[in-house]
Amino acid sequence: MRIKKCLFVAVLWTTIMSAGAQKGVNNGTPYGSGEDSIRCITNISLFTPYAKTNNFQDAYPYWKEAYEECPGATKDLYLYGVRIINWQISGEKDPAKQAALVDDLMALYDKRINYFGNDPKYGKDWIVVRKVQDYIRLKGEDGVDATLVYGWLKEILDEYGEKTESLGISLYMFASYKLLQKDADAHKGQYIEDFLKCSTLFDSRLAAAKTAGDEKETTTLEALKSGIETAFANSGAADCATLESVYDRKISENRNDLNFLKETITLFRRAGCQESELYFTAAGYAHQISPTAESAIGLGNQSFKKQEYEPAEKYFTEAIAMATEDETKADIHFIIANIAYTQKNYSKARQNCLKALEANPKLCKPYLLIGTMYAATANSVSDDPVIRKTAYYAAVDKFERARQVDSACAEDANRMIATYRSYFPSTEEIFMHPDLKDGATITVGGWIGERTVVRK
């Protein structure tokens, strides 16, 4: 009788559990209820040890059942789910089935957003960026649906704004670039706006990273920023005519919007459109509101274009005082050097070339300019026609240095080296000047005043 009673209780308990059972996916709880809850917990406890040791084959059936029945139970369903599906993809040879598995992986990311998108550290934005990374990796850059990726990331950028992960910003520009390649006429204006927005975000982050002394973050941001700038420069969208057509009315309509004006000035400068009247107009509006290095550069370029050298130098000097980046200061010093060169003030030109190199040692054009000035003023070095030719040694030194620091100058430097080597003192001329024997170190006279080596 007691055994029958126990059996009755067991059956009754099972019935109660079955009646109250419900999957987490149906009732909105992490584990569900009743037997479904027990099964969910059991499956999680069974798949996890297998997944941790990369035994995805044995993990899969337990993971799949938990993933489908109680998707809100734990983030481990998604952490290991990504690995499990990637394992399936790597082992699948049928293209159609492989494509279906990629869709499953994308759906997994979406489901994670649904259940864990509010996670303070690994929330919706983080999840979408990893989704895009996997999508691009699996589809290949040429196989991605750029419209799809652009839509995913635009939603994140619109929602998170300045807080968007840097990698997400970079991938957003990748998608925008792909859309430009697909239909330049339809997407060119938007691509320019995307670049301007994302470039500004990187600029502010770089400034913060440098201020904080975070070298690792600075290196990462510089690489990401360089990537989108290189793509922009090679996109064909950055021609001045296009920028002028896009911004013609916008500049006058936003003449009191300082942020817009600053971004526009930066864009025109990066595109090499400092000769555009719209660039000058935007710089003028911005300078009236709040003078900045960018606006001062713009007004300096305008004066330089008009050959009004005194006000040009004034604006450029102001720009140096306000600039925060060494690269910008270097560029401005080189512009002032060119103004001085135009006025044949060679000492001042060299002084600013050296300041440019101090701010940015990677520049090569200042070396070319110094060498050009040395060669141009050889006759001022000495009354002796042979000694005058020693200026070409110093000039070639600078041309050689230019091609060493940046291969971008190699072609011009090689041409100048070939030209001015032919002006070196001949063997006969050196024979008549014992102080110019081959290999001797000499000081070139006049304003040059540089030490160099006699050679053939």
Side-chain angles (χ1 to χ4, degrees):
M1 185 69 179
R2 187 173 179 182
I3 294 175
K4 290 182 178 180
K5 185 176 181 180
C6 289
L7 288 172
F8 173 77
V9 171
V11 171
L12 179 63
W13 176 248
T14 301
T15 303
I16 292 171
M17 287 294 290
S18 299
Q22 196 170 14
K23 299 172 184 177
V25 71
N26 294 326
N27 67 7
T29 62
Y31 299 101
S33 58
E35 287 184 346
D36 289 334
S37 173
I38 295 172
R39 184 168 60 252
C40 173
I41 295 170
T42 300
N43 283 325
I44 291 172
S45 66
L46 288 172
F47 93 76
T48 303
Y50 288 128
K52 282 183 177 179
T53 58
N54 296 328
N55 183 355
F56 300 130
Q57 184 170 351
D58 288 335
Y60 175 70
Y62 303 114
W63 168 82
K64 182 175 174 58
E65 192 166 3
Y67 172 66
E68 291 178 347
E69 293 189 358
C70 49
T74 172
K75 282 189 290 186
D76 283 351
L77 289 167
Y78 304 95
L79 173 67
Y80 294 113
V82 167
R83 302 179 192 179
I84 289 170
I85 297 178
N86 270 303
W87 164 74
Q88 290 178 310
I89 292 170
S90 65
E92 182 57 64
K93 304 302 180 184
D94 186 320
K97 292 180 180 179
Q98 195 175 67
L101 287 169
V102 173
D103 290 340
D104 289 344
L105 181 59
M106 298 300 103
L108 179 140
Y109 280 113
D110 292 338
K111 189 176 284 189
R112 178 172 178 174
I113 291 170
N114 184 45
Y115 287 97
F116 297 100
N118 293 326
D119 187 273
K121 188 173 182 180
Y122 303 111
K124 178 180 177 181
D125 56 333
W126 187 93
I127 297 168
V128 169
V129 171
R130 271 69 203 170
K131 173 184 176 181
V132 170
Q133 276 188 297
D134 264 350
Y135 179 77
I136 294 173
R137 175 179 59 82
L138 293 167
K139 291 288 187 179
E141 288 191 8
D142 295 331
V144 301
D145 183 337
T147 303
L148 200 62
V149 176
Y150 186 80
W152 290 340
L153 291 169
K154 186 177 188 304
E155 181 181 344
I156 295 302
L157 207 62
D158 288 345
E159 182 176 342
Y160 289 84
E162 293 183 356
K163 295 181 180 179
T164 303
E165 190 177 353
S166 296
L167 178 59
I169 297 171
S170 176
L171 292 172
Y172 174 75
M173 282 307 304
F174 162 80
S176 189
Y177 180 72
K178 285 293 183 182
L179 289 177
L180 177 76
Q181 289 182 313
K182 183 179 179 181
D183 191 343
D185 292 337
H187 194 67
K188 184 181 284 187
Q190 183 61 52
Y191 176 71
I192 292 172
E193 291 186 18
D194 288 340
F195 171 77
L196 182 60
K197 180 178 182 179
C198 294
S199 182
T200 301
L201 288 173
F202 277 128
D203 284 342
S204 62
R205 291 180 187 196
L206 262 173
K210 289 179 178 179
T211 300
D214 190 336
E215 294 183 7
K216 183 178 180 181
E217 179 69 4
T218 297
T219 300
T220 299
L221 290 169
E222 285 178 340
L224 292 174
K225 182 184 176 186
S226 176
I228 70 169
E229 287 181 340
T230 299
F232 181 73
N234 297 328
S235 68
D239 62 280
C240 299
T242 300
L243 290 179
E244 288 173 349
S245 66
V246 171
Y247 283 87
D248 188 15
R249 293 181 58 186
K250 290 185 178 181
I251 290 174
S252 59
E253 291 172 353
N254 293 276
R255 68 181 66 189
N256 297 316
D257 186 340
L258 181 60
N259 287 333
F260 173 85
L261 294 170
K262 288 165 64 176
E263 291 170 357
T264 302
I265 295 166
T266 301
L267 176 60
F268 271 69
R269 178 173 59 80
R270 284 175 174 156
C273 300
Q274 294 100 318
E275 300 294 313
S276 169
E277 287 299 323
L278 287 179
Y279 171 75
F280 299 140
T281 300
Y285 288 146
H287 209 72
Q288 290 175 11
I289 300 171
S290 178
T292 63
E294 283 285 1
S295 64
I297 291 171
L299 294 176
N301 283 327
Q302 184 178 37
S303 297
F304 187 40
K305 182 181 179 181
K306 295 177 180 179
Q307 297 184 350
E308 297 172 353
Y309 299 128
E310 187 175 341
E313 186 173 342
K314 171 181 170 293
Y315 283 123
F316 287 130
T317 302
E318 287 180 12
I320 291 172
M322 291 184 283
T324 57
E325 296 183 354
D326 288 339
E327 291 83 356
T328 302
K329 292 180 181 180
D331 291 341
I332 302 170
H333 274 299
F334 186 59
I335 295 172
I336 295 175
N338 277 280
I339 293 174
Y341 173 66
T342 301
Q343 298 174 303
K344 296 186 178 180
N345 189 339
Y346 301 125
S347 293
K348 184 175 182 179
R350 179 174 62 181
Q351 180 185 29
N352 278 278
C353 281
L354 295 175
K355 287 182 178 179
L357 292 169
E358 182 181 352
N360 184 4
K362 296 179 182 179
L363 290 179
C364 60
K365 289 185 178 180
Y367 288 113
L368 293 181
L369 181 56
I370 294 173
T372 299
M373 291 188 294
Y374 286 177
T377 59
N379 288 340
S380 69
V381 169
S382 172
D383 293 332
D384 186 319
V386 177
I387 298 299
R388 289 174 188 169
K389 293 184 178 182
T390 60
Y392 300 117
Y393 294 139
V396 169
D397 289 343
K398 299 304 178 185
F399 300 143
E400 290 177 339
R401 182 60 180 152
R403 68 182 180 182
Q404 287 173 1
V405 297
D406 190 347
S407 60
C409 284
E411 185 177 346
D412 288 337
N414 287 334
R415 185 179 65 254
M416 292 176 176
I417 289 169
T419 297
Y420 292 109
R421 272 187 181 279
S422 65
Y423 296 159
F424 284 1
S426 66
T427 302
E428 293 77 12
E429 289 172 326
I430 289 177
F431 180 76
M432 299 301 294
H433 289 74
D435 53 327
L436 295 183
K437 65 179 180 179
D438 192 35
T441 300
I442 60 170
T443 299
V444 180
W447 78 278
I448 296 177
E450 289 226 17
R451 292 179 69 77
T452 186
V453 176
V454 177
R455 68 264 198 193
K456 297 177 182 178

